[in-house]
Structure formats: structure tokens, C-alpha cells
Amino acid sequence: MLRTPVCGVLGIEVPIVQGPLGGPWQQSMRLAAAVGNAGALGSVPTTLRTPAQVREDVRRLRDLTDRPFALNMTRRPFDPEVFEAVIAEAPPVFSFALGEPDGLVPRVHQAGAVFVQQVTTVEQAVRAAEAGVDVISAQGTEAGGFCGDVSTMALVPQVVDAVHPVPVLASGGVADGRGIAAALALGAQGVNIGTRFLASAECGVSDDWKAAIVSAASQDAVKVEFVDHILPPPTEGGYTTVPRSLRTRFVEEGNAGPEEAAARADALRGEVMTSMRDGTAHELIPLTGQTAGLVHDVAPAAELVHRLIAEAEATLRALAGLASANGEGGPG
């Protein structure tokens, strides 16, 4: 089984982290548990959840698995009361995104948790390493949800060089074993995968959303340029990022008419928040990465973990064989 040093840091068997998917519409605890039970790291989002909901999520998850898991928070927005609830639950791993870790690292370490920080630039990675985080997830612009402007292929090796010896995960653009092998070649010790797990049997999002991912091409996942008019803005210390979503009429109209979107901001924001609560968010902004073009089925999460690792190992063996064959056929 493929294993790298970051597996020891995170307490997992294979170097795959399931990215936290969604917020109030709920990815389901079954997904995080299935991923964890398969030897990878399942993650649970807390965005727009209340402290009581977070506590209930963790209780349900712990009923389903005794494997390590990550609780995720962001600075879009950051809720201090939710952070206190997260710390009280003492998760094995705390992951943070869309903003600077600032003074959170000591609190997380005091709770006995590993701190994973998502970044979208080299500069953010350097600051995170200086703040004392344990693992850095370098997220390329291919990713779904909120992402930066630099591709994974360009970002990961720069981050690896800048923060050594802090272990790095590659995030964005990875949906099969070839992507894992490529990430390892770039110097990452593992991967963070979101979109592939959206289209899993256990994920709690709508079947229509999953079907849209399976049928989508990579170019169907576009940036939601008018996001500041429809979702809460970053809180202090938050990164300026734009989410990526599958094309919908809502997204196309908003991107084509940002001035009109600004004028109707309150109404649009209300529409989006209502859709998140009633389970129809995918009809407006189905946050999805460009790896949708690599997703061709909806499968159980454990099967996906095993498939990803088997593909990665086969790819690495093929590359080793290619290098060996080239060496034997070259000059003596």
C-alpha cells in the first residue's frame, strides 16, 4: 500500500485527504467515515454550522468510525464560537482554509490536533510554515469551491521548495491515480481531493449534482466572478478567492452582468442561502472543480480510495519501468 511520511503525521494509511465538501447542505458523516475506514482522511466542513450542529456532526461521525478525521474551518466566514466547539471536540486533525492561521495554531496544538493549512500562493505557504502549521495543502486554481489563480502543477513544487521540511499536499486537479503519482513527482507527500468524492455514493449532496459532475467537461467548471454579491465576504485575515462551479443559468447570468448582480445583491444572497438550506444549492452554484472531466461514475467512497491508490501504484510502476527501459537502451 502506498505510504508517505505525511501518513504518519495524519495518522492514516494512504496519502489521500478527502476535502471538506459543502456547508449547510451537508456532505454527510457517512462520507468522512467511509473515507477514514478505507485508510484515508475524511474531513467534515463546519461552514455556516452552529456549535450545536458541529457537536452533533462529530458525535455521529465517531459512532461510524474510530479512524482519524479532520474538522475544517475557513475565514469565509470565521465564527469564534464554532472554533471553540471544534477545539472542545479535540479532533485528530484541524484543517483551515481561505485565510491566515494567525493565533489559531497554538490553540489547535494544545487540543492535541494536527494543523493542516490550505494555501493558494507561495507567500501564504511561507507565512503558514512560520506560524507553525504541521501540513500545508497547496491548492491550485483547478479546484472546486474557493480557489486561487495559480495551477497545481506550477504551485506545488514552489511551495514544496519554500516550506521544506513541512509536508505538502497537492490540491486541485487530482481525481485519479495518475494525479497522485504526478503530485508525488512534484514533491508533495499526498493529495487533497474534493470533486471526485462529491460524486460518491455516501456524499449527501443531490443526485442531480452528482450526475452533473459525471456528465460535465472540465471547461464546464468556471469561476463565479460575482461571488461577493451572493456569499458572505471573508472575515479579517481572509484570502481573496473566487469559487469554481459548474455552469448554471444563475452562474452564467451573474458572470455576464456583474453590475446587475451588485444591484440585486441582497435578493441574490437570500436566494442562495435559501437554496443551501433546502438542498437545491446545486441548481444555482454547484461548486465543482475542473476534474469533473475525469469523473465518469458515482461509486462508494472506499472503492474510490482503493481505486485511486491502485492506479497511483500502477502509474509509478509503469514510470519506473519506463525509466529502466530507457536506461538499458541508452549509451553504455
Side-chain angles (χ1 to χ4, degrees), residues 245-246 248-251 271-272 275 280-286:
S245 165
L246 292 180
T248 63
R249 180 177 178 180
F250 182 83
V251 170
E271 186 177 354
V272 169
S275 75
T280 60
H282 63 282
E283 297 177 2
L284 302 181
I285 47 171

Side-chain angles (χ1 to χ4, degrees), residues 42-107:
S43 301
V44 177
T46 64
T47 302
L48 301 181
R49 304 289 284 169
T50 67
Q53 288 172 326
V54 169
R55 288 191 289 269
E56 176 61 16
D57 288 343
V58 174
R59 184 196 66 76
R60 287 163 45 216
L61 179 59
R62 284 179 164 145
D63 284 342
L64 295 170
T65 184
D66 59 359
R67 301 293 299 164
F69 61 88
L71 288 183
N72 174 262
M73 291 193 70
T74 78
R75 288 204 185 276
R76 192 170 185 128
F78 179 78
D79 186 332
E81 292 184 358
V82 170
F83 178 69
E84 293 301 328
V86 168
I87 290 299
E89 292 298 330
V93 179
F94 174 82
S95 63
F96 197 61
L98 308 184
E100 299 291 335
D102 290 340
L104 303 180
V105 179
R107 293 288 312 281

Side-chain angles (χ1 to χ4, degrees), residues 216-282:
S218 290
Q219 60 267 32
D220 294 324
V222 300
K223 290 291 191 79
V224 184
E225 301 293 349
F226 63 108
V227 64
D228 288 339
H229 304 311
I230 59 173
L231 291 178
T235 47
E236 184 178 357
Y239 300 150
T240 300
T241 53
V242 176
R244 189 177 294 282
S245 165
L246 292 180
R247 298 178 190 272
T248 63
R249 180 177 178 180
F250 182 83
V251 170
E252 298 278 65
E253 290 180 350
N255 280 346
E259 293 181 358
E260 180 181 353
R264 299 183 56 230
D266 289 343
L268 293 176
R269 187 173 292 114
E271 186 177 354
V272 169
M273 297 306 291
T274 297
S275 75
M276 288 182 174
R277 294 187 178 96
D278 66 16
T280 60
H282 63 282

Side-chain angles (χ1 to χ4, degrees), residues 153-171:
M153 182 70 78
L155 180 64
V156 169
Q158 293 183 74
V159 170
V160 168
D161 291 345
V163 304
H164 180 78
V166 179
V168 174
L169 303 173
S171 177

